[in-house]
Amino acid sequence: MLSATEAAHFPIDQGGEIAFVGRSNAGKSSAINALTYRRALARTSKTPGRTQQINFFRLDEQLRLVDLPGYGFAKVPARIRRHWERLIESYLQYRSSLLGLVILVDVRRSLSDLDRQLLDWCQEAAIPAHVLLTKADKLSRNAAHAVLHQVQAAISEDAVTGAALPIGTVQLFSATKKQGVDELRARLDQWFGRGIREKKSPS
Ligand code: GDP
């Protein structure tokens, strides 16, 4: 649909959209392509942190997928990192059509500080979050499930009070093996369905 480098260029804030975000190289482009059955809708790139733009993909008149720029590369200059933070913040905090955020995390790495910050933002803004543990094919079944349970525990507990909170959901995913595509699609359907129903009947 369009690519935006600043909030002024975002499409009109109506209908519903679901955004994908994660550390560069986490497998975001591959996941979007697997989800949409396209080979190169979202470009897969090995050049870290190059694209500092938000890509909007139209699903139909009302619904969009949003590809947020990757983060977490030490080599990226501070100026670019600040631009990333401002861009992401202006998107997450003010986008009323945002129905949910998919946070991609390589299954072999634990949640980064930024991943946690994104989860906090979601909680504050009451936006549901879904953690996609990517490249699950790189670990054995047992090892992948151990990570799944560990992240499940980490994101369902309030950091301050220790109370169990449904901050977000989590699943294993592999674009290469097409593992978890149906589960991810079901989550998006649920968010889209609920968001659109609520908009149609605010009561
Ligand atoms: P992005 O930077 O988050 O968009 O990540 P990409 O989708 O470009 O993927 C980064 C690298 O991880 C590429 O070399 C991909 O081929 C690889 N990759 C992505 N998904 C998977 C997966 O499910 N399994 C494996 N083994 N490799 C993957």
Short mmCIF file of all heavy atoms in Angstrom, two decimals, residues 10 39 66 83 138 158-159 163:
data_model
loop_
_atom_site.label_atom_id
_atom_site.label_comp_id
_atom_site.label_asym_id
_atom_site.label_seq_id
_atom_site.Cartn_x
_atom_site.Cartn_y
_atom_site.Cartn_z
N PHE A 10 1.45 8.05 7.33
CA PHE A 10 0.65 6.84 7.59
C PHE A 10 -0.68 6.96 6.84
O PHE A 10 -1.21 8.06 6.69
CB PHE A 10 0.34 6.69 9.09
CG PHE A 10 1.54 6.46 9.98
CD1 PHE A 10 1.41 6.54 11.37
CD2 PHE A 10 2.78 6.13 9.45
CE1 PHE A 10 2.49 6.34 12.21
CE2 PHE A 10 3.88 5.92 10.29
CZ PHE A 10 3.73 6.02 11.67
N ARG A 39 6.16 -14.95 -1.90
CA ARG A 39 7.58 -15.25 -1.78
C ARG A 39 8.37 -14.01 -1.35
O ARG A 39 9.37 -14.11 -0.68
CB ARG A 39 8.13 -15.82 -3.07
CG ARG A 39 9.16 -16.90 -2.80
CD ARG A 39 9.52 -17.69 -4.03
NE ARG A 39 8.39 -18.46 -4.54
CZ ARG A 39 8.35 -18.95 -5.77
NH1 ARG A 39 9.36 -18.76 -6.59
NH2 ARG A 39 7.31 -19.63 -6.18
N VAL A 66 0.95 -4.55 8.99
CA VAL A 66 1.94 -3.48 9.08
C VAL A 66 3.29 -4.06 9.47
O VAL A 66 3.41 -4.81 10.44
CB VAL A 66 1.50 -2.42 10.12
CG1 VAL A 66 2.50 -1.28 10.18
CG2 VAL A 66 0.12 -1.88 9.77
N HIS A 83 15.58 7.81 15.61
CA HIS A 83 14.51 7.92 14.62
C HIS A 83 13.58 6.71 14.71
O HIS A 83 12.36 6.82 14.69
CB HIS A 83 15.09 8.04 13.20
CG HIS A 83 14.03 8.06 12.13
ND1 HIS A 83 13.83 7.01 11.28
CD2 HIS A 83 13.10 8.99 11.83
CE1 HIS A 83 12.82 7.30 10.46
NE2 HIS A 83 12.37 8.50 10.78
N LYS A 138 15.29 -24.63 14.21
CA LYS A 138 16.71 -24.64 14.60
C LYS A 138 16.95 -25.36 15.91
O LYS A 138 18.09 -25.61 16.28
CB LYS A 138 17.23 -23.19 14.74
CG LYS A 138 17.23 -22.41 13.44
CD LYS A 138 18.56 -22.51 12.73
CE LYS A 138 18.66 -21.47 11.63
NZ LYS A 138 19.89 -21.65 10.86
N ASP A 158 3.21 -10.09 36.09
CA ASP A 158 3.53 -8.67 36.24
C ASP A 158 4.91 -8.51 36.89
O ASP A 158 5.18 -9.09 37.94
CB ASP A 158 2.46 -8.00 37.10
CG ASP A 158 2.63 -6.50 37.11
OD1 ASP A 158 3.64 -6.02 37.63
OD2 ASP A 158 1.75 -5.80 36.58
N ALA A 159 5.77 -7.71 36.25
CA ALA A 159 7.15 -7.57 36.73
C ALA A 159 7.19 -6.96 38.13
O ALA A 159 8.09 -7.26 38.92
CB ALA A 159 7.94 -6.71 35.76
N ALA A 163 1.94 -10.68 40.08
CA ALA A 163 0.62 -11.26 39.83
C ALA A 163 0.54 -11.82 38.42
O ALA A 163 1.16 -11.29 37.50
CB ALA A 163 -0.45 -10.18 40.00
#
